[in-house]
Amino acid sequence: MSPRAGLDTHTLVLAAAEIADEQGIEEVTLAALAARLGVRSPSLYNHINGLQGLRSLLAVHGLELLNAAIAAASEGLKGDAAIHAMGQAYVDFARKHPGLYETTLRAPEEGNSELVRASEQVLSSIIRLLSCYELDAEGELHAVRGLRSLLHGFAALENKGGFGMPLDTNISLNWLISAFIAGIRSKSSSTGTGQ
């Protein structure tokens, strides 16, 4: 059976991403994807390696989009301004692509070189933005974990309706990022490095 004309892996990933963002990642099934594209489920196997393969492709796609958003937001910025821009872009990505964002959270499995590459690109982008704080290599990784945890926690609470008070969530996010930056500055000063 030959692949349907006009149907390719990229088209499948984009359609699956739409389902994930509209209905949640658990609703991304081969049957749902086939129905969205107007094809039979078996024809999807010409382009993807089952549901696990599709989810892996979605994670790569999500990480690439997240990295592009971080890069665009922080372009030409350094220091605190770059961290604020990156943090806002991260949360905005989670707001705009809640299902796709969820695929970016797991550490890549060994042997999946595309997913490892995409994950490392995001990590490298964030480390590059943190470089002005003059942390050592281990400190940079701790800082990335901390920042990612803060941003993810904020995005997850917001997504689940956890911020019910009539306050601008972007102002709250700005406060949170400022507190994180103050913590990094304090940590780097106490170890004799940093500005």
Side-chain angles (χ1 to χ4, degrees):
M1 182 171 167
S2 63
R4 177 183 151 197
L7 193 62
D8 58 24
T9 304
H10 184 66
T11 302
L12 296 182
V13 170
L14 293 181
E18 287 176 359
I19 295 169
D21 289 340
E22 292 166 6
Q23 302 170 32
I25 190 62
E26 295 307 317
E27 298 303 314
V28 177
T29 64
L30 296 183
L33 181 57
R36 174 151 308 208
L37 294 168
V39 299
R40 292 178 34 238
S41 293
S43 66
L44 300 177
Y45 285 92
N46 292 314
H47 306 284
I48 57 171
N49 186 18
L51 184 58
Q52 186 59 41
L54 177 61
R55 295 231 171 134
S56 180
L57 291 170
L58 275 173
V60 170
H61 178 62
L63 287 164
E64 288 173 343
L65 289 180
L66 177 58
N67 194 50
I70 288 170
S74 60
E75 185 176 1
L77 301 175
K78 289 183 179 178
D80 298 0
I83 300 301
H84 276 280
M86 184 279 297
Q88 185 70 56
Y90 186 102
V91 171
D92 285 345
F93 178 82
R95 289 169 174 160
K96 184 176 179 183
H97 300 287
L100 192 56
Y101 168 70
E102 195 172 329
T103 69
T104 70
L105 299 176
R106 290 183 55 127
E109 62 271 7
E110 254 185 71
N112 189 332
S113 59
E114 279 300 295
L115 193 51
V116 169
R117 176 199 54 78
S119 183
E120 286 177 351
Q121 282 181 332
V122 173
L123 178 64
S124 295
S125 293
I126 298 173
I127 287 175
R128 201 168 27 255
L129 296 176
L130 289 168
S131 65
C132 70
Y133 299 101
E134 299 179 12
L135 301 166
D136 61 21
E138 185 176 316
E140 286 176 342
L141 293 177
H142 289 305
V144 170
R145 281 182 175 175
L147 184 55
R148 182 179 174 212
S149 296
L150 290 173
L151 297 174
H152 171 67
F154 188 94
L157 283 168
E158 184 178 58
N159 181 268
K160 297 296 183 186
F163 298 140
M165 292 184 209
L167 291 171
D168 185 333
T169 54
N170 287 321
I171 293 174
S172 298
L173 178 61
N174 185 52
W175 276 44
L176 181 64
I177 295 169
S178 293
F180 172 80
I181 291 169
I184 287 183
R185 287 190 184 284
S186 169
K187 187 70 176 166
S188 63
S189 323
S190 70
T191 58
T193 62
Q195 303 170 17

